[in-house]
Amino acid sequence: MKPNQLKTQQGLSLIELMIAVVLGIFITGGMLQLFVNGNQSYRVQENLSRVQENGRFAMAFITRDLRVAGYYGCLNDATKIESNLNAGSSYDNYAIAIAGTNDDGPNDSDSISTSGMAQSGIFVVDIPASTSADLKVTDNSGLAEDDVVMVLDCTAGDLFQITNNPSVGGAAGKDEVVHNTGAVGSGPGNFEKEFQKIYGTDAQIYKARSVRYFIAINPSNQPALYQSVNGALAQELVEGIETMQILYGVDTSGPDINGLRTANYYMPATTPATVASLALMEDVVSIRVSLLSTTLEDNLATTNATTTVATYTSPDDRKVRRTFTSTIAVRNRIPQ
């Protein structure tokens, strides 16, 4: 009896081959679909995270400076501040502390400028002989030539630019601050040397800080939030901020029985600014900021849509957008 012999595979029939090809196409198609869906989901999530992060960062930057606008140490009356600076710089209207423009930027964006003082811990240590005399101040003050500063006590303040290196040439244990008129290395310069009073040893020196926020198109052709400090070249802070809309809360009734101030109504800035609008800015006690943060990539949403923030309506596209709105109290104008 002969042993059974196994038949060897001789090949595939046409039908078997077609079935294998069809099954392979289905499996490959399914894998491709999973990859495409996964990639799209990743793109959406990554871009949405960036939108949320950019909106929060931008609002944090703006909120920090708006809250401290108009800080002048113990001097709570801005009308007692005198500027010794030449006109035509970012320090004009310094005592107003808040200014803005309306719908004059890309995508109908507003801009806002704030000013105030940064605490420094620098004191006048000798009473000067006259209102135009140099100021002897705390040693190792960190002050530098061309710094714009304010000397103030609780009754008055003078804004001026330093025209020397305070750490060179002064008496031992003291820095000396000179505030001459004439040409300066950079900045507005002083149009007069005399202060409105002789400041005693209860006076302090504060560094001035003027900040402007606005929307511009960056080199990548994307909208972004920009910041300019003390009139310097603006720097890009956060990409993907499509528009910024600002309303100013004006208190026309004065402080309540507890000495607090609240806004009676909200208004946009007047562009160009008028005397009347600048006067209203002196009564601004809160600021409502709305930012529209957008993805840099298109074709993320499932359908086309627009987003409206105040006077601006976004293009009808498939970008993902989020609106961030915050009402910020101007702390130095709330108490009386």
Side-chain angles (χ1 to χ4, degrees), residues 105-106 109 214-219 221-226 236 238 241-242:
S109 292
F214 61 97
I215 304 298
I217 304 301
N218 67 13
N221 200 34
Q222 298 290 344
L225 177 68
Y226 279 73
E236 180 181 342
V238 183
I241 305 302
E242 191 166 340

Side-chain angles (χ1 to χ4, degrees), residues 75 80-81 150-158 196-197 199:
L75 181 62
K80 295 178 180 178
I81 297 172
M150 184 183 293
V151 56
L152 63 86
D153 53 23
C154 296
T155 63
D158 274 270
Q196 58 181 308
K197 62 174 289 186
Y199 289 94

Side-chain angles (χ1 to χ4, degrees), residues 36-47:
V36 170
N37 290 343
N39 185 59
Q40 178 67 3
S41 178
Y42 171 78
R43 287 180 64 237
V44 171
Q45 292 301 320
E46 181 185 34
N47 279 271

